[in-house]
Amino acid sequence: MQHGKYRFIVGFLAAPLALYALFVIWPFVQSIYYSFTDWTGLSPEFGMVGFDNYSRMLDDEVFWKSLQHSLTFAVVLPLVTVGLALFFAFMLNVGGRRRKGAAIAGVRGSSFYKIVYFFPQVLSIAIVALLFQFAYNPNSGAINSVLKGVGLGSVQPDWLGDPDLALICVMVVLVWSTVGFFVVLFSAGMASIPRDFYEAALLDGANRFTTFFKITLPLLWDTVQSGWIYMGILALGAESFAVVQIMTVGPSGGGPDYSTIVLPLYVYQKAFRDGQAAYATTIGVALLLLTLAFAAVVMKLGRRERLEF
């Protein structure tokens, strides 16, 4: 019976594992292989160049700028997004005033607020980027128009054209577009925490601040850690690429003066704009290592004893 059971498990997993290896693992292997070649991406012919692409990458000033910006995204965006989402979710589920028949409740209208926060998730990230590109327009954009309407006409920044502001503007868009997802995620986790815990804490004189750090956060830690990693991967991947390419200035985005260039966009530019596919895969390998390192660090720093209830 045991032998038959293991054979059944292997047979059941063989097809999914084969598909995963073919469509996920194999492209990574190919990318690493092509990073040691001079392949242009425009011709099937290429030759081996050893570590030349990696040496070039280490001497590439734009690569270091893109790495710096991607690291900024990986640190700042999860911190701000997860922090805001935890605050909103706590207020929507636990942080309201006591009501008749319910000692623990969210703020009034919490169901409506959840829909409002989640609304950006139904929009394509490309549409979000276009909307904010119009809003940031220094001449006719909504933001400068509001500033002018409240008497701050002298304060008219060139939001996406200012190297000191452009990166911040992009990060604001990424936070706005993703925080709603984590609000819903954390709300689902908080809904599973027994209300008796909060009621007992309130009877002992604990306030909302104490209940959050002593009850909610410890019991929700696994979800928070997963959300942190997921947000970091979004910040290092397609989300940042789409927003930066669409919103920012330059031949393929990333401007002004590479002030918003990130690693995914630089990979795209080298592969499809400059016809340097091998060098693009080299940068892609660096991005892969950065993503794995980020996930490993978050899991290491966030490791703690699992709490059950």
Side-chain angles (χ1 to χ4, degrees):
M1 291 296 293
Q2 291 292 328
H3 178 71
K5 182 182 71 172
Y6 291 127
R7 188 166 58 183
F8 172 77
I9 293 174
V10 171
F12 186 79
L13 294 177
L17 289 176
L19 290 174
Y20 183 82
L22 177 63
F23 293 106
V24 178
I25 303 299
W26 182 242
F28 284 121
V29 175
Q30 284 184 307
S31 297
I32 296 173
Y33 172 75
Y34 284 125
S35 69
F36 294 101
T37 70
D38 59 359
W39 184 44
T40 64
L42 304 175
S43 169
E45 299 178 358
F46 58 86
M48 302 299 294
V49 296
F51 288 93
D52 288 357
N53 287 323
Y54 289 92
S55 299
R56 175 187 172 186
M57 182 180 68
L58 295 177
D59 294 331
D60 189 346
E61 182 180 351
V62 179
F63 165 76
W64 289 109
K65 281 188 177 182
S66 62
L67 177 61
Q68 177 185 353
H69 297 154
S70 290
L71 285 173
T72 302
F73 277 24
V75 174
V76 175
L77 289 179
L79 179 65
V80 176
T81 304
V82 172
L84 285 175
L86 278 172
F87 171 76
F88 291 143
F90 183 77
M91 296 303 296
L92 293 178
N93 291 273
V94 185
R97 295 183 178 181
R98 295 188 181 186
R99 301 176 197 163
K100 185 177 181 180
I104 302 299
V107 297
R108 293 188 182 275
S110 57
S111 299
F112 172 75
Y113 291 135
K114 288 179 183 178
I115 296 174
V116 172
Y117 290 142
F118 190 75
F119 176 74
Q121 290 296 308
V122 306
L123 299 176
S124 165
I125 190 64
I127 294 176
V128 171
L130 284 173
L131 291 174
F132 273 90
Q133 185 185 46
F134 296 143
Y136 282 130
N137 189 295
N139 299 317
S140 59
I143 298 178
N144 279 359
S145 297
V146 170
L147 291 175
K148 192 173 183 180
V150 297
L152 296 176
S154 59
V155 182
Q156 297 286 294
D158 185 6
W159 299 100
L160 297 175
D162 188 340
D164 297 327
L165 293 176
L167 192 67
I168 298 175
C169 293
V170 171
M171 288 194 288
V172 168
V173 175
L174 287 168
V175 171
W176 183 87
S177 65
T178 54
V179 70
F181 170 80
F182 293 100
V183 170
V184 174
L185 176 67
F186 296 150
S187 293
M190 291 179 190
S192 66
I193 299 176
R195 288 292 189 263
D196 296 345
F197 292 0
Y198 292 107
E199 293 174 357
L202 292 176
L203 289 175
D204 289 338
N207 54 30
R208 301 299 185 191
F209 183 86
T210 303
T211 56
F212 175 79
F213 284 101
K214 296 297 184 180
I215 298 176
T216 304
L217 190 58
L219 294 177
L220 202 64
W221 186 253
D222 288 345
T223 305
V224 172
Q225 186 182 44
S226 300
W228 197 287
I229 294 173
Y230 180 64
M231 185 60 210
I233 293 173
L234 289 180
L236 291 170
E239 295 285 316
S240 63
F241 162 76
V243 173
V244 172
Q245 189 201 23
I246 293 172
M247 289 182 59
T248 56
V249 298
S252 302
D257 192 27
Y258 297 110
S259 60
T260 57
I261 190 74
V262 289
L263 284 175
L265 180 60
Y266 197 40
V267 171
Y268 169 82
Q269 290 177 349
K270 287 301 176 184
F272 299 102
R273 186 191 66 184
D274 302 336
Q276 301 175 16
Y279 185 54
T281 59
T282 306
I283 303 171
V285 171
L287 178 59
L288 170 63
L289 295 177
L290 176 62
T291 305
L292 294 176
F294 169 82
V297 168
V298 173
M299 293 182 67
K300 178 68 175 178
L301 296 179
R303 182 181 300 171
R304 58 189 301 171
E305 184 179 353
R306 184 180 180 87
L307 299 177
E308 297 182 357
F309 54 90

